Amino acid sequence: MERVTVPITGRSYDVVVGSGVLARAAEHLPELGSATRAFVVADRPVADAWLHPLSEALAARRIHAVLLVVPSGEEAKTLDVYATVLRQLASQEAHRDDLVVALGGGTTGDLAGFVASTYMRGVRLIQVPTTLTGQVDAAIGGKTAVNLPEGKNLAGTFHQPVAVLCDVDTLATLADRDLRSGLAEVAKYALTLDLELLGMLERDPAPLLQRDPAPLEVVVARCVRAKAATVAADELDLDRRMILNYGHTVGHALERSEGYAGRTHGEAIAVGMVFAARLAEARGLASTGVTARTTRLLKALGLETEGALPPVVDVLAALKMDKKFRDRNRFVLLQAVGRPLVVDDVTDEEVAAVLREMGAEA
């Protein structure tokens, strides 16, 4: 097992990565004071698979687990579901010493984190991600949110967890599509921050696709270390942390344009990374070859890099609700692999030209 510290001043916490972490959660959790109840937010399939070992571990710390069932996927990230969970906490007289535990994928973690950050002005949160997306990215760093019809993650807060438990054994139960979706986030780290990881992925991605626990642990831990360092340098996403949005600008626009019912998050950001590579080459920022290398990597990980796109006008409208937007389009682009840069003067015409090259209707 590996333990990675997210070194935020006054609120540092550990991310534990390995096989069998859930069964040994009692020894991995920090001191939890007078907590007597943990309200576990999970969808039904995840609860059926993983609530029992988590509950036993919490019981060993004399904490009783209370399950709060939420919908699966993006359907959980709505104001209605958020309000329902808050009222469930209130009706069961949850107090500030109690815990909220996010058990599941990134959407569950986003919702549960937002609930924890706002119930009684903030209660402690433990993240227990059971998807690759959650383990390498969503559960770490304190971003919480729900979606609005106007855009993704528009209502939310920063609320750091007190612990993150990443049990790679949970990845064995993922659907193939969900595993590949998580590999898109892994590719993001490889292309922007970790050239050694990029080399590992390019040489032989098969062990990851076959869910071999040993390489999965290595890859998850590498991504966690990259994110921990980035978050410690820029907790509130004002500068350096924006790099972690590579591929997400157009990716989020695609998700919104498709009503969160088309591509998965990872599938959308895979297309977003190809778009960003094409845009960087079109601007002369990156040398020819970045797009080809990006496409080869994503295809080797089982991700589609083409496919139908929404009309250009719909994507441009969605971009205006991106959280990085400041009177103009801002993108994370690559000067070369491992050399990301935030560019804040991308015109609508440039965006439209690349989208049309990728097959979007004018």
Side-chain angles (χ1 to χ4, degrees), residues 6 10 29 37 44 57 62 74 126 130 150 162 171 192 234 251 261 270 287 295 307 330 344 348 350:
V6 183
L29 290 172
R37 289 183 296 175
R44 177 55 65 185
R62 299 186 177 182
E74 293 290 334
I126 296 171
T130 61
E150 291 78 13
V162 297
L171 305 181
T192 57
D234 178 23
S287 61
T295 301
R330 302 170 87 192
D344 64 1
D348 283 357
E350 289 177 282

Side-chain angles (χ1 to χ4, degrees), residues 180 183-184 187 191 201-202 205 209 270-271 273-274 278 291-307:
R180 293 193 298 269
L183 287 171
L191 290 165
L201 296 177
E202 290 180 325
L209 293 167
V271 175
M273 286 188 282
V274 172
R278 283 176 169 265
T291 300
R293 190 172 184 183
T294 299
T295 301
R296 281 196 306 271
L297 172 65
L298 295 172
K299 286 186 174 180
L301 296 174
L303 288 155
E304 177 60 63
T305 60
E306 299 172 354

Side-chain angles (χ1 to χ4, degrees), residues 5-240:
T5 299
V6 183
I8 296 175
T9 303
R11 298 187 310 287
S12 294
Y13 56 93
D14 288 344
V15 182
V16 181
V17 181
S19 180
V21 169
L22 268 181
R24 298 170 58 186
E27 63 190 77
H28 294 309
L29 290 172
E31 173 58 43
L32 296 172
S34 57
T36 59
R37 289 183 296 175
F39 291 89
V40 181
V41 180
D43 65 34
R44 177 55 65 185
V46 170
D48 288 347
W50 301 110
L51 180 62
H52 178 68
L54 177 61
S55 296
E56 287 197 330
L58 290 167
R61 299 286 293 269
R62 299 186 177 182
I63 298 172
H64 175 62
V66 179
L67 175 62
L68 304 180
V69 177
V70 297
S72 299
E74 293 290 334
E75 291 183 13
K77 289 180 56 172
T78 69
L79 288 174
D80 286 344
V81 175
Y82 163 70
T84 296
V85 177
L86 286 176
R87 295 194 65 185
Q88 287 177 322
L89 291 174
S91 68
Q92 298 190 63
E93 298 181 353
H95 297 293
R96 293 192 73 181
D97 288 340
D98 292 327
L99 310 168
V100 170
V101 180
L103 176 65
T107 54
T108 298
D110 284 352
L111 169 70
F114 190 29
V115 168
S117 72
T118 51
Y119 183 75
M120 289 194 170
R121 297 195 177 94
V123 299
R124 286 171 296 178
L125 170 71
I126 296 171
Q127 289 275 8
V128 187
T130 61
T131 66
L132 187 57
T133 299
Q135 292 185 7
V136 302
D137 193 74
I140 300 128
K143 282 187 178 180
T144 81
V146 295
N147 303 329
L148 301 180
E150 291 78 13
K152 190 176 176 73
N153 296 333
L154 292 184
T157 61
F158 288 92
H159 186 67
Q160 299 294 342
V162 297
V164 182
L165 305 179
C166 299
D167 191 332
V168 297
D169 292 346
T170 63
L171 305 181
T173 64
L174 282 182
D176 288 344
R177 188 182 184 191
D178 291 333
L179 180 73
R180 293 193 298 269
S181 186
L183 287 171
E185 291 284 3
V186 174
K188 173 195 75 177
Y189 286 107
L191 290 165
T192 57
L193 295 173
D194 191 339
L195 292 180
E196 186 174 336
L197 175 60
L198 178 59
M200 292 168 56
L201 296 177
E202 290 180 325
R203 281 192 299 273
D204 186 13
L208 298 177
L209 293 167
Q210 294 163 2
R211 305 163 194 255
D212 187 329
L216 278 171
E217 180 176 335
V218 170
V219 166
V220 171
R222 291 192 75 96
C223 293
V224 169
R225 283 194 292 271
K227 182 152 193 182
T230 306
V231 169
D234 178 23
E235 181 186 1
L236 300 183
D237 205 13
L238 301 174
D239 185 18
R240 177 71 179 172

Side-chain angles (χ1 to χ4, degrees), residues 248-317:
H248 286 58
T249 306
V250 162
H252 283 173
L254 293 179
E255 288 183 272
R256 180 200 169 190
S257 298
E258 296 168 348
Y260 307 108
R263 294 173 174 87
T264 66
H265 175 68
E267 290 165 349
I269 68 166
V271 175
M273 286 188 282
V274 172
F275 172 91
R278 283 176 169 265
L279 178 59
E281 287 188 9
R283 291 191 128 220
L285 182 66
S287 61
T288 302
V290 169
T291 300
R293 190 172 184 183
T294 299
T295 301
R296 281 196 306 271
L297 172 65
L298 295 172
K299 286 186 174 180
L301 296 174
L303 288 155
E304 177 60 63
T305 60
E306 299 172 354
L309 295 176
V312 169
V313 65
D314 292 347
V315 177
L316 288 173

